[in-house]
Amino acid sequence: MKFLVFAASHRPESYNRKLAVHTANYMKKKAIQVDFAEYAEFDMPLYNDAIEMPEIAGIFGKRASSSDGIIISAPEYNWSYPGSLKNIIDWTSCIIPNPLKGKTVMLMCASPGVRGGILGLSHLKTPLEASQLFVYPKVFPLGNCLEMFDADNTLEIKQSTLLNAILDDYITFTQKLMKP
Ligand code: FNR
């Protein structure tokens, strides 16, 4: 099994990136293959049907299609998810055959607020379902993220235990869907 893991933030000190790194490290410890991407690797122009599909959209599609599942840590912006992420989904949805079809996806968010960006994650499910991914029903909304990582970027123990248990369940969810 292989998972594409990335955070939808360009900030060098991004809390969502810290969550994505925790996730990638946990999966690697379990001997699961991880394709970790920096968000800047998927920078592409705004969707415009008057221009050619950018090469990078094809690269994103290939990295998604060569994975069994995708794990996205997406910040909440104005009670929703980042527009740049919607742009990636929109370009990818124009690729034939659909590289996202039948993949699983798990969503998480680090937010300084108490709700942990739950509304943004809820919105993000919709275009992913439209793209024919199987959206794992549990999300991981990490609230108060400014206090949740130590100086070494280690996630607080209670949250780490909770996230690892959800990741284990997500891996099983993906395994079940991959087996006919
Ligand atoms: C935010 N932030 C934010 N947080 C939140 O919990 N709910 C929200 O609706 C918003 N809205 C919002 C809009 C915009 C334009 C920005 C730039 C920020 C705060 C945001 O969660 C915070 O900056 C996170 O640290 C961003 O994630 P990264 O970059 O640390 O991964």
Side-chain angles (χ1 to χ4, degrees), residues 9 11 13-17 75-79 110-113 117:
S9 170
R11 282 193 338 107
E13 288 303 313
S14 160
Y15 290 97
N16 285 281
R17 186 180 182 281
E76 184 176 74
Y77 289 167
N78 296 307
W79 299 4
S111 148

Side-chain angles (χ1 to χ4, degrees), residues 7 19 32 69 82 107 112:
L19 261 192
I32 290 172
L107 305 177

Side-chain angles (χ1 to χ4, degrees), residues 48-60:
N48 177 348
D49 58 11
I51 63 171
E52 259 187 49
M53 164 92 57
E55 202 186 330
I56 200 70
I59 291 170
F60 175 78

